[in-house]
């Protein structure tokens, strides 16, 4: 299949378990996974995507600061020439138990193509990514 | 400074201190003498060491939540609510993640955004930005002992500020607040930085002020085998004691199998006492049991089941305190109501079980023996590679994978150990990496996992680990196929 | 009919049956042959005996709620919700209190008022008024085994109807559904009436249809000492077996001290098996553990603590099933949501503990021995005063206070026994009335209560009992002064 | 003090524990308690009140049928000549967790002088009764 995705946990976030599982799941699903691990800046995501000519960036944020950390990522991607690269975000994106539809809206407005609520299983993301990249199952 | 496990001289300490207090403007408000005066006036019912001692003597388990929001007034409201409505016995201030990374500038942004948004945009209380004065306002607004809970590799300024503000306990340690919480902080640095924090407490002790220190027991909270976390806890206890800390609470995160959990707590307490004695440290030791620290079920009723079972185990193990989760755990930082609910379910369980203990049995005895043996294997090797120096040994041991914490993000962690549950749900080791266990012990683990594999009609392997990680969130302890 | 513990002849049974089926118009729709046909078609996953057997063999504890509302559609919605959302393993139909008193006229009023009010004005499902057809509609709408749970001294017509409707289990017994539930029903009458219910099940057994019977273990649910409830459970098991019942679930209500509770369950199972064997009955025995049956805390989070601790004890005791309480317990009949929450907290706890048992210890062994000894004291005396006939013995034993159930409303109960908790929360006896314990046992109870009194610095006395009754509701197990 | 109260549990209700405790508490507080126990009809309450010349009737209902069982009690008291006798009700008066203010209203409309929510401690009732009967503490 040969599609490449950059995977990582943004900001000062150290939650490593989900990241390790996502790496395995996306790899098993046939993606070429570039896992930059936890505690990554927006720049690290973008550099990795440029270097590996990635098709999508999968951002995890678990610790609650996701909203602050993700702001401006789409604009920076645009500036860096990563026009229209797929941006997904998942994890526990905001502080506290909030109305999901509103959280989703806020992240979509920030330019994320897909946004996932807490506890979403990797399979859901894989299915969507295959769909968005036009990959047949 | 050269890394060794040796009490810092005053000269060493105060030299570094100058630098520390300059890391952020609020640092300049810390005055050791004035702080000592302030701490001397802390009444007994607001002192961690005093309250822990009373609980230990009475055989009672205290309940402590986690909680922290960005703004002082909100934080005070939150803590008061947990105290008055939630019936908490001890109070925390959970520190936000930017502070934990010493990114105080970003805290300012978070504070401002929180004011604008009308809700906390930070996942905790930025104590350094609020400074001694802000932290004292919090302390003075509550009626219970107050502790900083965080995950900060370099907590020197934070520690200075919170102790000066009357907070009589500080959680953390060189390993436990680095390896699970950071990616690229070296152990040399985190050990030195936590020696500073411990030395600060030691200095207060020398001024006649008793403060409590609590290494963070659960590490990554994810299938950490008891002997690994106990080894780390004992090491951090010894490192702290060397700097003059005299009131220590060692912790352990629930794995879920009752016998293993009680055994781990007993082994931890007994073995730590032995080590303190061997090295001649005079430490008042208490214990803390963490309710399940891994992935939680989303359903709140199910979360109550997990919370209550953790409380019951804490009581049956005779822990001095238990750290409480909430029904919102799987989703996000809890509202104050959800947080109070977690404490109330916990207290109810603790009170039903007050005075009850898991009686000694063959199974419990053997599990205690096993955990102690394993812990000793690790500790012996750490001392060996450190040529007798514990601090040096820790650095070397991590390099060599002798100390290795499952699922930790740090690049200084080998990450070769893979745990999995046996058929009774006890956490065993599937891949040992370089953990220095005897062949006998390794074979024993293997045989237990094979017993499970036979029961589940599949091979021992990584899929078990993945299934076990998801299991509690899906409502089970052991990750069976087709859960 | 003369009261004796002897299997009824068919003649005796069918003579009474005529009368029974005439008690209310729906009785005429019960046709034994047709019912047998219907029951033969019950699939395995909807059969109580089959599901209990599977659970026992796999060492799993099943969760069963209580639930019942007046109208059929609402009742079906409720049960389906508990099955689908609540994840129940077994379903109940709790019968309303008028039905329990055979006041079917008042049920009609309640049904009508419920229709008008748009909410259930009855505290359960009036199965007799709904008749075989209505009860079958319920049975056919669910996917799990269905049981009638009530509290009916004379449950003959009710039993006829529910079994004919495919409900494969019936709770109750001559003592347990009389003494705690009625004021002036004689034991002669309730024993005969329950012999009828048991004989009905025995007849079905003879037709090759397996039905489950479950004496009600917890009695008044209020500080009932284990040996008293175990004695009653064994008696009712024996009475049922004599009438041809072959699938029996004996029960016990949580007292709150882990060791005592596990000991009581073990003693119950082992001792019942022995008695069945001695008397030559071929019975498949399973057990049921009831989560705390006394006064609950009003706070829902605290109620979850009580519920979860009950679930944990059930699992550690290896009970075949556990009866689930809800977070609304202290206030009123739960909504379906609250009921489902209770089941989910329970299932989460059971699943975390799947396969885990309280290991044997000196303490557990001694408690088992004590409970068995006490139970035997009572049973021996019951047989003695009955001159070998158990049914006669029961009547005499209640007259003489040999059997005596604390806090029961029945005028046929002596009401002289007063229980109180010891210092570990185990239920002991303060005033023995005429319970035929040896002096040694009595002294032992007394010494335990005196230990508590010393600890609490007060006298052993009635105030302890009052405090213990309130304790769990106030968040504690033992009712200490200034709780 | 010499005031007499009739105490009992109404209807087909067998809950005996609270009744036993109420008997003790009201006795300790100086009342002459006539406890007619559980499962009592309206008539039993009224007859006991007439026979003992009672000053108040304390009705418990725990099992949920309280609303049906209590209906008409005031009228029957009036007919029996127990004009203005104090009528209290407490326990778990209705089926399920309902808005308390509405339950209270319904029972007050039925003619009860005081109505108590689940878990009310006896002391509260004793205090009110002393007040209503003009007894000094
Ligand atoms: C284990 C844990 C920890 C461990 C982490 C160890 C480690 N280094 O990995 C420790 C104890 C160290 C820890 C620390 C903290 N934690 Co934490 N932690 C958890 C916990 C209990 C489980 C996380 C986990 O491992 N789950 C298992 C994995 C497999 O699931 P996952 O992480 O959710 O990832 C899966 C999915 O979310 C999804 N997914 C994730 N990203 C993406 C992206 C895409 C595109 C897709 C499709 C899917 C997807 O797929 C993953 C694999 O299945 C959660 C609560 C929970 N979930 O129960 C809290 C939680 C995440 N932690 C939280 C917090 C706040 C913290 C702390 C700040 C401390 C605190 N205040 O208590 C610090 C963070 C410090 C820092 N700098 O980051 C909060 C976040 C709150 C919020 N968002 O409102 C949570 C939700 C707990 C809570 N309710 O308060 N934590
Ligand atoms: C123990 C118990 C039983 C025992 C009773 C044994 C016995 N014979 O006494 C058993 C198991 C037999 C039982 C049976 C039933 N029970 Co029941 N039982 C309880 C339980 C758990 C505790 C009651 C108790 O003893 N409390 C301790 C005493 C000290 O408190 P109390 O009874 O509340 O009384 C105090 C106060 O209320 C107050 N008070 C009471 N009356 C008055 C009056 C006045 C004037 C004042 C001032 C104060 C006052 O003072 C009392 C003393 O402090 C309650 C739930 C709870 N409270 O936790 C359910 C409960 C009362 N039962 C209930 C029900 C429905 C039943 C059953 C119909 C079965 C069923 N569907 O599950 C049957 C009833 C059969 C019948 N014919 O009556 C429901 C009632 C529901 C509702 N109102 O909506 C409850 C609330 C449980 C529930 N949430 O479903 N029960």
């Amino acid at each position: 299949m040969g599609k490449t995705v950059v995977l990582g946990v943004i900001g000062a976030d150290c939650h490593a378990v989900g990241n390790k599982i996502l790496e395995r799941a996306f790899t098993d699903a046939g993606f070429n996974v570039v896992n930059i691990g936890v505690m990554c800046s927006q720049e690290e995501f973008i550099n990795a995507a440029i270097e590996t000519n990635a098709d999508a960036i999968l951002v995890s944020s678990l610790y609650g600061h996701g909203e602050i950390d993700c702001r401006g990522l789409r604009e920076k991607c645009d500036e860096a020439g990563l026009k229209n690269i797929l941006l997904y975000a998942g994890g526990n994106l905001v502080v506290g138990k909030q109305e999901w539809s509103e959280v989703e809206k806020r992240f979509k407005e920030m330019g994320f193509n897909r946004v996932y609520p807490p506890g979403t299983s990797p399979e859901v993301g894989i299915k969507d990514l295959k769909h968005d990249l036009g990959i047949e199952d | 400074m050269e890394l060794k496990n040796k009490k810092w001289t005053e000269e060493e300490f105060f030299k570094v201190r100058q630098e520390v207090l300059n890391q952020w403007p609020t640092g300049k408000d810390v005055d050791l003498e004035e702080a000592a005066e302030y701490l001397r006036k802390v009444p007994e019912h607001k002192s961690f060491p005093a309250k822990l001692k009373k609980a230990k003597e009475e055989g009672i388990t205290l309940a402590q939540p986690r909680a922290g929001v960005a703004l002082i007034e909100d934080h005070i409201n939150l803590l008061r609510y947990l105290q008055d409505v939630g019936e908490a016995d001890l109070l925390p201030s959970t520190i936000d993640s930017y502070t934990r990374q010493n990114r105080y500038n970003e805290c300012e942004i978070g504070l401002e955004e929180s004011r604008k948004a009308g809700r906390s945009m930070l996942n905790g209380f930025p104590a350094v930005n609020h400074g001694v004065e802000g932290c004292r306002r919090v302390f003075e607004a509550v009626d219970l002992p107050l502790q900083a809970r965080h995950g900060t590799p370099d907590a020197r300024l934070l520690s200075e500020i919170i102790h000066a503000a009357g907070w009589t306990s500080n959680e953390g340690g060189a390993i436990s607040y680095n390896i699970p919480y950071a990616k690229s902080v070296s152990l040399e640095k985190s050990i030195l930085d936590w020696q500073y924090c411990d030395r600060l407490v030691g200095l207060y002790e020398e001024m006649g002020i008793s403060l409590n220190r609590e290494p963070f027991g659960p590490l990554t909270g994810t299938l950490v085998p008891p002997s690994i976390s106990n080894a780390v806890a004992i090491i951090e206890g010894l490192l702290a004691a060397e700097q003059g800390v005299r009131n220590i609470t060692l912790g352990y995160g629930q794995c879920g199998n009752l016998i293993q959990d009680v055994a781990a707590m007993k082994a931890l307490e007994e073995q730590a006492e032995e080590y303190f004695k061997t090295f001649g440290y005079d430490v008042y030791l208490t214990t803390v049991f963490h309710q399940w620290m891994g992935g939680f079920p989303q359903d709140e009723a199910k979360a109550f089941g997990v919370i209550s079972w953790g409380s019951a185990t804490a009581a049956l193990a005779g822990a001095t305190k238990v750290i409480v989760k909430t029904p919102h755990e799987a989703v996000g930082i809890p509202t104050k109501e959800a947080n109070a609910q977690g404490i109330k379910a916990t207290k109810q369980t603790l009170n039903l079980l007050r005075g009850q203990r898991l009686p000694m049995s063959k199974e419990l005895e053997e599990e205690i023996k096993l955990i102690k043996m394993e812990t000793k294997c690790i500790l012996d090797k750490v001392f060996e590679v450190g040529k007798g120096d514990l601090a040096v040994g820790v650095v070397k041991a991590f390099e060599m994978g002798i100390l290795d914490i499952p699922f930790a993000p740090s690049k200084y962690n080998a990450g070769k150990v893979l745990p999995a549950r046996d058929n009774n749900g006890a956490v065993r080791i599937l891949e040992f990496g370089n953990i220095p266990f005897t062949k006998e012990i390794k074979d024993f683990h293997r045989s237990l996992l094979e017993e499970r594999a036979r029961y589940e009609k599949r091979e021992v392997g990584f899929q078990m680990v993945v299934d076990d990680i998801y299991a509690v969130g899906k409502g089970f302890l052991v990750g069976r196929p087709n859960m």
Side-chain angles (χ1 to χ4, degrees), chain A, chain B:
Chain A
M1 171 171 75
K3 297 285 184 184
T4 297
V5 297
V6 170
L7 174 71
V9 186
I10 201 164
D13 191 339
C14 70
H15 289 91
V17 184
N19 173 266
K20 286 179 209 263
I21 290 198
L22 285 169
E23 171 173 356
R24 193 179 143 100
F26 277 81
T27 306
D28 287 354
F31 290 96
N32 174 25
V33 180
V34 180
N35 188 1
I36 59 174
V38 304
M39 301 189 137
C40 297
S41 64
Q42 296 190 349
E43 289 69 25
E44 289 173 87
F45 277 96
I46 291 171
N47 292 341
I50 294 174
E51 272 168 35
T52 62
N53 195 15
D55 301 282
I57 295 178
L58 309 186
V59 180
S60 291
S61 176
L62 282 300
Y63 72 155
H65 293 183
E67 211 172 330
I68 302 184
D69 294 336
C70 288
R71 212 170 279 161
L73 179 59
R74 172 58 76 193
E75 291 73 15
K76 285 214 188 104
C77 283
D78 289 348
E79 285 165 28
L82 293 168
K83 288 269 179 221
N84 300 327
I85 188 165
L86 284 173
L87 281 185
Y88 285 16
N92 301 62
L93 288 169
V94 292
V95 173
K97 201 165 186 170
Q98 299 181 29
E99 185 53 59
W100 174 245
S101 60
E102 283 171 29
V103 175
E104 189 177 21
K105 194 165 146 253
R106 293 208 294 274
F107 274 79
K108 291 237 162 133
E109 282 169 6
M110 283 193 239
F112 283 84
N113 301 80
R114 296 204 182 248
V115 196
Y116 299 95
T120 303
S121 89
E123 287 65 45
V124 178
I126 289 169
K127 200 164 155 252
D128 289 343
L129 189 58
K130 287 190 173 168
H131 176 269
D132 292 353
L133 292 174
I135 301 168
E136 299 285 304
D137 243 327
Chain B
M1 230 174 109
E2 195 202 327
L3 180 72
K4 49 180 198 277
N5 180 29
K6 182 107 208 334
K7 192 190 226 174
W8 288 21
T9 62
E10 298 222 346
E11 202 194 321
E12 286 169 327
F13 179 79
F14 283 104
K15 199 172 138 218
V16 175
R17 189 163 192 262
Q18 283 222 306
E19 196 188 295
V20 167
L21 297 185
N22 274 321
Q23 288 173 349
W24 188 255
T26 51
K28 66 172 189 317
D29 300 332
V30 188
D31 174 337
L32 210 58
E33 288 306 322
E34 188 268 352
E37 266 323 296
Y38 188 82
L39 279 163
R40 264 188 209 104
K41 289 188 217 115
V42 169
E44 206 170 283
H45 71 281
K46 291 179 75 174
S47 150
F48 247 90
K51 187 139 186 182
L52 289 171
K53 183 152 184 271
K54 193 156 170 278
K56 183 175 173 172
E57 281 167 6
E58 292 177 358
I60 283 171
T61 304
L62 303 171
Q64 182 178 15
R66 292 190 179 79
V69 289
L71 304 174
I72 293 182
E73 284 312 318
D74 297 346
H75 189 59
I76 288 176
N77 284 340
L78 172 58
L79 293 188
R80 276 207 185 136
Y81 187 88
L82 299 182
Q83 166 188 289
D84 298 337
V85 180
E87 306 174 19
D89 298 312
L90 299 165
L91 287 176
S93 288
T94 299
I95 308 300
D96 73 288
S97 288
Y98 293 138
T99 301
R100 296 171 185 213
Q101 305 295 321
N102 313 91
R103 288 149 72 162
Y104 310 120
N105 271 316
E106 279 164 85
C107 292
E108 284 299 319
I109 301 178
L111 278 169
E112 201 164 306
E113 298 225 2
S114 302
R115 273 182 217 108
K116 270 192 237 152
R119 62 187 157 86
S120 184
M121 297 289 287
L122 292 179
N123 60 10
F125 181 78
V128 169
N129 293 57
H130 289 310
V132 176
E133 201 214 305
C135 291
R136 282 190 184 170
R137 270 179 57 204
V138 175
F139 176 69
E140 284 164 17
V142 300
D143 276 322
L144 298 172
L146 197 55
Q147 177 189 44
R149 302 188 68 87
H150 38 123
T152 313
D154 172 6
R156 293 172 299 171
L157 181 55
L158 177 64
S159 305
E160 287 277 5
I161 286 174
I162 59 117
H163 288 316
W167 302 16
T168 45
S169 178
N170 190 16
E171 196 196 35
I175 301 168
S176 64
Y177 266 15
N178 174 359
I179 303 301
Y181 283 98
K183 189 157 92 171
S184 42
V185 176
S186 74
L187 280 152
E188 282 90 341
K189 175 147 174 33
S190 64
I191 294 176
L192 285 169
D193 291 346
W194 275 96
Q195 283 181 332
Y196 180 98
C197 302
D198 286 330
R199 190 70 201 93
L200 175 65
V201 171
L203 279 177
Y204 279 117
E205 282 286 348
E206 288 153 24
M207 293 189 264
I209 292 153
S210 176
L211 298 177
N212 173 260
R213 280 274 296 111
E214 177 188 341
F216 175 61
L219 302 172
T220 54
T222 307
L223 301 176
V224 181
S227 56
I228 294 185
S229 54
N230 280 6
V232 172
I234 291 171
I235 290 172
E236 295 192 347
L238 291 171
L239 292 174
E242 175 61 28
Q243 300 302 325
V245 175
R246 299 186 53 187
N247 193 290
I248 297 179
T249 305
L250 292 185
Y252 165 80
Q254 178 181 28
C255 282
N257 173 285
L258 178 63
I259 293 174
Q260 185 178 45
D261 285 335
V262 174
M265 290 291 288
K266 287 215 181 300
L268 176 59
E269 188 168 8
E270 292 169 9
Q271 219 167 4
E273 291 281 20
E274 283 164 28
Y275 275 93
F276 287 140
K277 209 168 139 198
T278 307
F279 288 91
Y281 298 128
D282 178 17
V283 166
Y284 191 85
L285 179 66
T286 48
T287 58
V288 51
F289 182 87
H290 292 252
Q291 293 176 1
W292 176 246
M293 287 292 289
F296 249 67
Q298 300 239 350
D299 182 88
E300 297 193 17
K302 292 188 179 179
F304 276 116
V306 180
I307 288 168
S308 305
W309 176 231
S311 315
T313 306
L316 290 171
T320 321
K321 71 172 184 178
V322 59
I323 304 294
V324 174
K325 290 266 176 174
T326 83
H328 284 184
E329 176 64 15
V331 181
I333 301 220
T335 57
K336 64 180 191 306
E337 291 81 10
N339 209 330
Q341 286 179 330
I343 312 171
K344 284 191 284 184
T346 297
K347 292 265 303 207
Q348 175 76 39
T349 311
L350 293 175
N351 286 337
L352 288 176
L353 279 149
R354 184 171 286 188
Q356 298 190 47
R357 294 287 181 276
L358 188 70
M360 187 48 71
S361 59
K362 194 169 61 56
E363 291 84 344
L364 180 57
E365 204 180 319
E366 278 170 12
E367 193 67 38
I368 294 174
K369 226 169 77 188
L370 177 68
I371 294 171
K372 283 187 180 174
M373 256 162 47
E374 295 178 5
T375 306
K376 188 164 181 305
C377 287
I378 299 175
L379 290 175
D380 282 353
K381 199 82 189 171
V382 173
F383 280 108
E384 187 190 313
V385 299
K387 302 206 165 83
D389 186 283
L390 185 56
V392 175
V394 167
V395 177
K396 282 259 158 60
F398 269 101
E399 272 169 19
M400 299 168 68
I402 293 162
L403 284 168
D404 188 352
I405 294 165
F407 310 110
S410 172
K411 69 181 188 201
Y412 295 97
N413 188 60
K416 291 209 173 121
V417 169
L418 265 189
R421 292 191 187 277
D422 70 17
N423 217 27
N424 294 318
V427 173
R428 307 296 177 189
I429 299 182
L430 168 64
E431 287 178 18
F432 293 90
N434 286 322
I435 296 279
F437 287 175
T438 61
K439 179 164 181 314
E440 208 190 335
I441 294 176
K442 289 185 183 175
D443 289 348
F444 182 59
H445 282 243
R446 185 75 202 179
S447 71
L448 289 171
L449 294 181
E450 267 161 8
E451 185 191 333
R452 168 177 172 189
R454 276 193 304 280
Y455 180 86
E456 293 177 356
K457 300 193 175 57
R458 61 168 166 177
E459 298 289 292
V460 173
F462 188 69
Q463 193 54 44
M464 280 183 179
V465 185
V466 175
D467 293 342
D468 285 347
I469 287 173
Y470 282 128
V472 173
K474 290 190 178 170
F476 294 86
L477 186 63
V478 184
R480 310 281 187 201
N482 323 315
M483 209 161 24

